[in-house]
Amino acid sequence: MSTESVLRQVSAETMRSIPGGEIVLRDEGTRTDWKVDVEAFRLAPYPVTRELYHAVRGEAPGGPAGPRTPVTEISWNEAVRFCNLLSRETGLQPCYATGDDPDGPAVVCDWRADGYRLPSEAEWEYACRAGTSGERYGDLDEIAWHRGNSGEEVRDVATRMPNAWGLHDMIGNVWEWCWDLYDPAVYGPYRVFRGGGGFDPPRGCRASCRRKSHPTFRIDDLGFRLARTG
């Protein structure tokens, strides 16, 4: 497939328009809730694939997984840099100003820019739920690759049922980096990732499940999904 064809995967026509609203987030460790207003934005219908990552970067990490599987072993820092590269490749304004510190303290997001970025944690959960209020937006086996049905492999994107807003793999297959710091007072630079992965039991595959790690962290079931403002 040509680079041009691959880049069409993230064209304005393929990004899903997510209406504005509000979401109540919950940290189960501290048992605290907080409400966040979410403005309308756009979100990719599935995580960044190895095919797309390779088209932009000229390489994709990891082993012999297929081109339509989510790219994994990507750190938060690398996901941010990818967003800027893809924005420039497609003639959009990059969202991020970056620095050299691996902790990522100098990374700043311009939320008004029209380029690609990571979703905020509130955007992610709001889009995942798509108006629902339960643990998931559907039956786990129908919507997600998880420990019970994945064969402990990352699977091709968009092969499970989407939610009501046309988003696939929000639950299961791979965890997805978000923009947010998890709890800087306790965990310093650690960033949030969401969604559960193909190696996780049902408890890890819930709309509200939050995990975190250092911006340099890489693992074989952690990828990311693209968002755009407006």
Side-chain angles (χ1 to χ4, degrees), residues 10-13 15-16 40-44 87 90 92-93 95 111 113-119 123 226-230:
V10 290
S11 67
E13 291 75 21
M15 298 283 282
R16 301 293 188 257
F41 68 105
R42 282 177 278 179
L43 192 65
S87 297
T90 53
L92 300 174
Q93 179 186 359
C95 293
W111 297 89
D114 65 355
Y116 295 98
R117 58 176 176 79
L118 298 177
E123 287 175 333
L226 299 169
R228 291 182 65 189
T229 297

Side-chain angles (χ1 to χ4, degrees), residues 54-197:
H54 189 278
V56 175
R57 293 297 306 268
E59 59 182 0
R68 295 286 293 171
T69 59
V71 68
T72 59
E73 300 182 40
I74 299 296
S75 70
W76 184 89
N77 290 330
E78 290 165 333
V80 164
R81 288 195 291 269
F82 177 88
C83 289
N84 275 356
L85 286 170
L86 179 60
S87 297
R88 295 188 184 99
E89 185 77 20
T90 53
L92 300 174
Q93 179 186 359
C95 293
Y96 297 113
T98 61
D100 296 329
D101 190 328
D103 284 349
V107 178
V108 176
C109 182
D110 180 357
W111 297 89
R112 299 166 299 176
D114 65 355
Y116 295 98
R117 58 176 176 79
L118 298 177
S120 70
E121 181 178 16
E123 287 175 333
W124 188 95
E125 185 171 334
Y126 177 74
C128 176
R129 290 189 177 280
T132 65
S133 58
E135 289 188 338
R136 307 173 188 93
Y137 50 85
D139 178 79
L140 181 60
D141 282 331
E142 293 182 357
I143 67 171
W145 293 112
H146 61 97
R147 182 183 293 176
N149 65 6
S150 70
E152 298 194 9
E153 295 179 355
V154 173
R155 299 299 191 108
D156 283 2
V157 298
T159 51
R160 301 280 89 182
M161 292 287 292
N163 69 11
W165 291 346
L167 302 169
H168 297 265
D169 302 310
M170 294 296 289
I171 300 291
N173 212 7
V174 294
W175 293 87
E176 301 177 11
W177 285 114
C178 295
W179 159 257
D180 305 64
L181 291 163
Y182 186 86
D183 183 348
V186 178
Y187 294 100
Y190 277 32
R191 298 281 174 165
V192 173
F193 50 92
R194 291 295 213 108

